[in-house]
Amino acid sequence: MRRVSKLVAAVGTAAALALSATACGSTSTESSSSSSGSSKEGKGIALAYDVGGRGDQSFNDAAYAGFEKARKDFGIGGEDVEPSDGESDADKVQRLTDLARQGYNPVIGVGFAYAPAVKEAAEKFPKTTFGLIDDETVKGENIANLVFSEEQGSYLAGVAAAKATKSKVVGFVGGVEVPLIKKFEAGFVQGVKDTDPSVKVRTQYLTQPPDMGGFSKPDLGKEAARGQLDSDADVLYHAAGLAGQGVIEAVAAKDKWVIGVDSDQYKQKTLDKYKDSILTSMTKDVSGAVYNLVKSVHEGEPKTGVVRFDLKTDGVGLSDSNPAFAEMTEIQDAVKKAREGIVNGDIKVKTTP
């Protein structure tokens, strides 16, 4: 499952990220460690956020949680950097390059959009470990591809939705129609249909690439959710990042069920007033992925290659923070049975619709 490379020394050259902040995004956290710039730890961890940035209560915030835990546990510095609206791949390359030049190690790109930038930056700084979340197309001796079996967790979400619906209509709202989000859709639809073939699944994407705004605009999510609710859907599952907050708000206004994504959204403080409508969330252990990569670098054995998180490793799953969901015995039994089937290989989950 995991390939670990030998320790490679990396000495960072000091540089000022502020010189490129205007072109390459803003810095949200800066902290220096007491390290003298040793190759093993350097200045600590650097995190470059995906579309939506920190505060999305989902994907980026999960990465930040791992970032903060690693800094605390290992006593290291860190810097996390926000994306800019409409930025290019060249902007991302410059951001990662600046962070690596300053001596941060590892440098982690949060999201598949960083794939070209990680490839280029990793070639420039072969002694720095680069983490790339949600993409395994870009390979390198100093690149750790932190990827998830989203389709497996989404299958369980589909099982829960099929059991919870009363109207026999459920919905899926994807942020942007890219291969990664199609995995969420594929697993969800299969889980619904395997559980109850009579349930209809309505699918909608907020934007099409290259427009990535579907991950960052709650108003788009709210509009899409209202449309699905008006079409009789009473359980909605979103994979839309920050835009998912709009989905949650719209569903709560109609007193229906919504299934969150990436983080346990029932526990998110900014979503507290909607939490009674959050049935469950399909969680991805992005926090653990970030933390474990930092740990491997800190211990002198940086992980490289594909590191996959699936149901078997508890890298994806369904949360049960909502007491109402935890008490739904029939749904819990169905989810447990489906989970066991996926883990032992009896259920093969599709990665494309």
Side-chain angles (χ1 to χ4, degrees):
M1 290 289 292
R2 297 182 176 181
R3 299 203 298 267
V4 180
S5 68
K6 299 292 184 181
L7 172 64
V8 287
V11 179
T13 303
L17 182 63
L19 293 176
S20 60
T22 301
C24 301
S26 60
T27 302
S28 56
T29 301
E30 293 187 26
S31 175
S32 297
S33 70
S34 60
S35 168
S36 60
S38 67
S39 61
K40 179 177 168 183
E41 297 177 16
K43 295 180 68 175
I45 175 180
L47 201 65
Y49 292 118
D50 197 3
V51 176
R54 202 169 113 199
D56 66 353
Q57 307 299 315
S58 185
F59 183 62
N60 288 296
D61 279 4
Y64 177 72
F67 166 89
E68 281 291 89
K69 180 172 171 35
R71 288 178 59 203
K72 179 180 179 180
D73 287 0
F74 306 128
I76 58 177
E79 188 163 325
D80 60 325
V81 187
E82 297 284 353
S84 298
D85 291 338
E87 67 182 21
S88 65
D89 283 343
D91 292 327
K92 290 183 175 65
V93 171
Q94 187 63 56
R95 178 178 304 129
L96 300 185
T97 297
D98 287 341
L99 293 167
R101 184 178 289 120
Q102 290 182 87
Y104 288 103
N105 187 21
V107 175
I108 302 176
V110 184
F112 63 86
Y114 274 97
V118 165
K119 178 177 175 58
E120 187 169 336
E123 290 173 352
K124 293 179 180 178
F125 297 90
K127 295 181 180 180
T128 298
T129 298
F130 287 83
L132 176 58
I133 300 177
D134 281 350
D135 184 278
E136 58 182 300
T137 63
V138 172
K139 304 292 175 60
E141 293 184 358
N142 58 329
I143 297 175
N145 305 89
L146 309 176
V147 295
F148 300 81
S149 296
E150 293 91 353
E151 71 283 358
Q152 294 182 354
S154 296
Y155 184 99
L156 300 186
V159 172
K163 286 291 187 179
T165 181
K166 295 180 179 179
S167 66
K168 296 294 185 178
V169 181
V170 301
F172 173 78
V173 178
V176 183
E177 193 168 3
V178 292
L180 173 66
I181 306 303
K182 298 292 277 187
K183 289 172 64 181
F184 288 84
E185 178 195 352
F188 180 69
V189 172
Q190 186 180 344
V192 170
K193 293 299 184 181
D194 284 358
T195 304
D196 187 345
S198 70
V199 175
K200 295 180 180 179
V201 183
R202 302 192 187 283
T203 297
Q204 184 172 351
Y205 285 90
L206 304 180
T207 62
Q208 298 290 322
D211 181 0
M212 295 295 166
F215 290 130
S216 61
K217 298 178 180 178
D219 286 348
L220 291 181
K222 186 183 296 185
E223 182 182 354
R226 284 172 174 169
Q228 293 201 349
L229 292 165
D230 288 344
S231 298
D232 296 327
D234 61 354
V235 184
L236 269 60
Y237 173 44
H238 84 86
L242 182 63
Q245 293 187 31
V247 175
I248 292 171
E249 183 178 347
V251 172
K254 292 291 187 179
D255 197 26
K256 302 299 182 182
W257 288 122
V258 63
I259 298 176
V261 77
D262 293 339
S263 298
D264 184 351
Q265 297 198 296
Y266 181 87
K267 292 183 175 181
Q268 298 297 329
K269 291 182 179 180
T270 60
L271 299 174
D272 190 63
K273 62 182 177 180
Y274 310 122
K275 69 179 185 180
D276 288 343
S277 292
I278 302 175
L279 180 67
T280 180
S281 296
M282 196 292 282
T283 58
K284 292 169 56 176
D285 193 13
V286 177
S287 174
V290 169
Y291 181 88
N292 288 331
L293 180 59
V294 179
K295 183 174 186 287
S296 74
V297 173
H298 181 75
E299 294 178 344
E301 294 186 345
K303 296 182 184 298
T304 60
V306 175
V307 185
R308 181 168 295 280
F309 300 84
D310 56 15
L311 276 180
K312 189 173 184 179
T313 63
D314 291 324
V316 297
L318 283 189
S319 65
D320 58 1
S321 299
N322 188 335
F325 179 67
E327 293 171 2
M328 294 176 180
T329 305
E330 184 179 351
I331 295 180
Q332 293 293 331
D333 290 345
V335 168
K336 181 180 179 181
K337 182 178 180 181
R339 186 186 188 284
E340 292 173 349
I342 293 171
V343 170
N344 65 28
D346 289 342
I347 298 174
K348 305 294 184 183
V349 186
K350 300 175 182 178
T351 56
T352 56

Short mmCIF file of all heavy atoms in Angstrom, two decimals, residues 148-180:
data_model
loop_
_atom_site.label_atom_id
_atom_site.label_comp_id
_atom_site.label_asym_id
_atom_site.label_seq_id
_atom_site.Cartn_x
_atom_site.Cartn_y
_atom_site.Cartn_z
N PHE A 148 -7.52 8.89 -2.42
CA PHE A 148 -8.61 8.28 -1.65
C PHE A 148 -9.56 7.51 -2.56
O PHE A 148 -9.72 7.85 -3.73
CB PHE A 148 -9.39 9.37 -0.92
CG PHE A 148 -8.56 10.18 0.04
CD1 PHE A 148 -7.75 11.20 -0.40
CD2 PHE A 148 -8.58 9.88 1.39
CE1 PHE A 148 -6.96 11.93 0.47
CE2 PHE A 148 -7.80 10.61 2.28
CZ PHE A 148 -7.00 11.63 1.82
N SER A 149 -10.18 6.49 -2.00
CA SER A 149 -11.20 5.73 -2.72
C SER A 149 -12.56 6.36 -2.43
O SER A 149 -13.41 5.78 -1.73
CB SER A 149 -11.16 4.26 -2.31
OG SER A 149 -9.94 3.66 -2.68
N GLU A 150 -12.76 7.55 -2.99
CA GLU A 150 -14.01 8.28 -2.73
C GLU A 150 -15.25 7.51 -3.15
O GLU A 150 -16.31 7.67 -2.55
CB GLU A 150 -13.99 9.63 -3.46
CG GLU A 150 -12.97 10.62 -2.97
CD GLU A 150 -11.65 10.54 -3.71
OE1 GLU A 150 -11.48 9.60 -4.53
OE2 GLU A 150 -10.78 11.40 -3.46
N GLU A 151 -15.09 6.70 -4.18
CA GLU A 151 -16.25 5.94 -4.66
C GLU A 151 -16.76 4.97 -3.60
O GLU A 151 -17.96 4.70 -3.52
CB GLU A 151 -15.91 5.21 -5.95
CG GLU A 151 -14.97 4.02 -5.83
CD GLU A 151 -13.50 4.37 -5.67
OE1 GLU A 151 -13.17 5.57 -5.69
OE2 GLU A 151 -12.69 3.43 -5.54
N GLN A 152 -15.86 4.44 -2.77
CA GLN A 152 -16.27 3.49 -1.74
C GLN A 152 -17.10 4.19 -0.64
O GLN A 152 -18.16 3.70 -0.25
CB GLN A 152 -15.05 2.82 -1.12
CG GLN A 152 -14.29 1.92 -2.08
CD GLN A 152 -13.11 1.23 -1.43
OE1 GLN A 152 -12.76 1.49 -0.27
NE2 GLN A 152 -12.46 0.34 -2.16
N GLY A 153 -16.59 5.31 -0.15
CA GLY A 153 -17.35 6.05 0.85
C GLY A 153 -18.66 6.56 0.29
O GLY A 153 -19.69 6.59 0.99
N SER A 154 -18.65 6.97 -0.98
CA SER A 154 -19.86 7.48 -1.62
C SER A 154 -20.90 6.37 -1.81
O SER A 154 -22.11 6.63 -1.79
CB SER A 154 -19.51 8.13 -2.97
OG SER A 154 -18.69 9.25 -2.78
N TYR A 155 -20.42 5.15 -2.01
CA TYR A 155 -21.34 4.01 -2.10
C TYR A 155 -22.14 3.90 -0.80
O TYR A 155 -23.38 3.72 -0.81
CB TYR A 155 -20.56 2.73 -2.36
CG TYR A 155 -21.42 1.49 -2.57
CD1 TYR A 155 -21.69 1.03 -3.85
CD2 TYR A 155 -21.94 0.78 -1.49
CE1 TYR A 155 -22.48 -0.12 -4.04
CE2 TYR A 155 -22.72 -0.35 -1.67
CZ TYR A 155 -22.99 -0.80 -2.95
OH TYR A 155 -23.77 -1.92 -3.14
N LEU A 156 -21.46 4.02 0.33
CA LEU A 156 -22.14 3.95 1.62
C LEU A 156 -23.12 5.11 1.77
O LEU A 156 -24.22 4.93 2.33
CB LEU A 156 -21.12 3.99 2.76
CG LEU A 156 -20.07 2.88 2.80
CD1 LEU A 156 -19.24 2.98 4.08
CD2 LEU A 156 -20.71 1.51 2.70
N ALA A 157 -22.74 6.27 1.26
CA ALA A 157 -23.66 7.42 1.29
C ALA A 157 -24.91 7.12 0.47
O ALA A 157 -26.03 7.49 0.84
CB ALA A 157 -22.97 8.66 0.74
N GLY A 158 -24.73 6.41 -0.65
CA GLY A 158 -25.86 6.02 -1.48
C GLY A 158 -26.77 5.03 -0.78
O GLY A 158 -28.01 5.12 -0.89
N VAL A 159 -26.18 4.11 -0.04
CA VAL A 159 -26.97 3.14 0.73
C VAL A 159 -27.82 3.89 1.75
O VAL A 159 -29.03 3.64 1.89
CB VAL A 159 -26.05 2.12 1.43
CG1 VAL A 159 -26.86 1.25 2.39
CG2 VAL A 159 -25.33 1.26 0.41
N ALA A 160 -27.19 4.83 2.47
CA ALA A 160 -27.91 5.59 3.49
C ALA A 160 -29.03 6.42 2.87
O ALA A 160 -30.14 6.49 3.42
CB ALA A 160 -26.93 6.50 4.24
N ALA A 161 -28.75 7.05 1.73
CA ALA A 161 -29.76 7.88 1.06
C ALA A 161 -30.95 7.05 0.61
O ALA A 161 -32.11 7.46 0.76
CB ALA A 161 -29.14 8.60 -0.13
N ALA A 162 -30.67 5.87 0.03
CA ALA A 162 -31.75 5.01 -0.46
C ALA A 162 -32.64 4.53 0.68
O ALA A 162 -33.86 4.35 0.51
CB ALA A 162 -31.16 3.81 -1.21
N LYS A 163 -32.04 4.33 1.84
CA LYS A 163 -32.81 3.89 3.00
C LYS A 163 -33.57 5.04 3.66
O LYS A 163 -34.63 4.83 4.26
CB LYS A 163 -31.87 3.23 4.02
CG LYS A 163 -31.37 1.85 3.63
CD LYS A 163 -32.49 0.82 3.67
CE LYS A 163 -32.00 -0.58 3.45
NZ LYS A 163 -33.10 -1.58 3.49
N ALA A 164 -33.02 6.25 3.56
CA ALA A 164 -33.62 7.39 4.26
C ALA A 164 -34.71 8.09 3.46
O ALA A 164 -35.60 8.73 4.05
CB ALA A 164 -32.53 8.41 4.62
N THR A 165 -34.69 7.98 2.14
CA THR A 165 -35.65 8.72 1.32
C THR A 165 -37.08 8.22 1.52
O THR A 165 -37.33 7.01 1.64
CB THR A 165 -35.28 8.65 -0.16
OG1 THR A 165 -36.24 9.40 -0.93
CG2 THR A 165 -35.25 7.22 -0.67
N LYS A 166 -37.99 9.15 1.53
CA LYS A 166 -39.41 8.82 1.58
C LYS A 166 -40.09 9.07 0.24
O LYS A 166 -41.09 8.44 -0.08
CB LYS A 166 -40.10 9.64 2.68
CG LYS A 166 -39.62 9.31 4.09
CD LYS A 166 -40.32 10.16 5.13
CE LYS A 166 -39.84 9.81 6.54
NZ LYS A 166 -40.50 10.65 7.58
N SER A 167 -39.50 10.00 -0.52
CA SER A 167 -40.08 10.34 -1.83
C SER A 167 -39.59 9.43 -2.94
O SER A 167 -40.10 9.48 -4.06
CB SER A 167 -39.71 11.78 -2.18
OG SER A 167 -38.31 11.90 -2.39
N LYS A 168 -38.58 8.60 -2.63
CA LYS A 168 -37.94 7.73 -3.62
C LYS A 168 -37.20 8.53 -4.69
O LYS A 168 -37.00 8.07 -5.81
CB LYS A 168 -38.97 6.80 -4.29
CG LYS A 168 -39.63 5.80 -3.35
CD LYS A 168 -38.65 4.79 -2.80
CE LYS A 168 -39.32 3.72 -1.96
NZ LYS A 168 -38.37 2.71 -1.45
N VAL A 169 -36.79 9.74 -4.31
CA VAL A 169 -35.97 10.58 -5.19
C VAL A 169 -34.85 11.18 -4.34
O VAL A 169 -35.10 11.78 -3.29
CB VAL A 169 -36.78 11.73 -5.83
CG1 VAL A 169 -35.87 12.56 -6.75
CG2 VAL A 169 -37.96 11.18 -6.61
N VAL A 170 -33.61 11.00 -4.79
CA VAL A 170 -32.46 11.58 -4.10
C VAL A 170 -31.64 12.37 -5.11
O VAL A 170 -31.84 12.24 -6.33
CB VAL A 170 -31.59 10.50 -3.42
CG1 VAL A 170 -32.41 9.71 -2.42
CG2 VAL A 170 -30.96 9.57 -4.45
N GLY A 171 -30.72 13.18 -4.62
CA GLY A 171 -29.95 14.01 -5.54
C GLY A 171 -28.47 14.03 -5.23
O GLY A 171 -28.04 13.83 -4.08
N PHE A 172 -27.67 14.28 -6.28
CA PHE A 172 -26.23 14.46 -6.15
C PHE A 172 -25.86 15.80 -6.76
O PHE A 172 -26.23 16.09 -7.91
CB PHE A 172 -25.45 13.35 -6.85
CG PHE A 172 -23.96 13.59 -6.89
CD1 PHE A 172 -23.18 13.34 -5.77
CD2 PHE A 172 -23.35 14.08 -8.04
CE1 PHE A 172 -21.81 13.59 -5.79
CE2 PHE A 172 -21.98 14.32 -8.07
CZ PHE A 172 -21.21 14.07 -6.94
N VAL A 173 -25.12 16.63 -6.01
CA VAL A 173 -24.65 17.92 -6.50
C VAL A 173 -23.13 17.90 -6.51
O VAL A 173 -22.50 17.84 -5.44
CB VAL A 173 -25.16 19.09 -5.64
CG1 VAL A 173 -24.61 20.41 -6.17
CG2 VAL A 173 -26.70 19.12 -5.61
N GLY A 174 -22.55 17.94 -7.70
CA GLY A 174 -21.09 17.97 -7.83
C GLY A 174 -20.62 19.38 -8.12
O GLY A 174 -21.29 20.14 -8.83
N GLY A 175 -19.47 19.75 -7.58
CA GLY A 175 -18.95 21.10 -7.80
C GLY A 175 -18.58 21.36 -9.25
O GLY A 175 -19.13 22.25 -9.89
N VAL A 176 -17.65 20.58 -9.76
CA VAL A 176 -17.19 20.70 -11.15
C VAL A 176 -17.13 19.31 -11.75
O VAL A 176 -16.71 18.35 -11.08
CB VAL A 176 -15.80 21.36 -11.21
CG1 VAL A 176 -15.34 21.56 -12.66
CG2 VAL A 176 -15.79 22.71 -10.48
N GLU A 177 -17.54 19.18 -12.99
CA GLU A 177 -17.59 17.84 -13.61
C GLU A 177 -16.20 17.42 -14.08
O GLU A 177 -15.87 17.48 -15.26
CB GLU A 177 -18.59 17.82 -14.77
CG GLU A 177 -18.90 16.39 -15.23
CD GLU A 177 -20.09 16.33 -16.17
OE1 GLU A 177 -20.64 17.39 -16.53
OE2 GLU A 177 -20.48 15.21 -16.56
N VAL A 178 -15.41 16.96 -13.14
CA VAL A 178 -14.06 16.45 -13.40
C VAL A 178 -14.01 15.00 -12.95
O VAL A 178 -14.87 14.54 -12.19
CB VAL A 178 -13.01 17.29 -12.65
CG1 VAL A 178 -12.92 18.69 -13.22
CG2 VAL A 178 -13.30 17.33 -11.15
N PRO A 179 -13.02 14.22 -13.41
CA PRO A 179 -12.96 12.79 -13.06
C PRO A 179 -13.03 12.51 -11.57
O PRO A 179 -13.66 11.54 -11.15
CB PRO A 179 -11.62 12.36 -13.66
CG PRO A 179 -11.44 13.25 -14.85
CD PRO A 179 -11.98 14.58 -14.41
N LEU A 180 -12.39 13.33 -10.74
CA LEU A 180 -12.42 13.10 -9.30
C LEU A 180 -13.85 13.12 -8.78
O LEU A 180 -14.27 12.22 -8.03
CB LEU A 180 -11.59 14.15 -8.57
CG LEU A 180 -11.69 14.09 -7.04
CD1 LEU A 180 -11.07 12.81 -6.51
CD2 LEU A 180 -11.04 15.32 -6.41
#
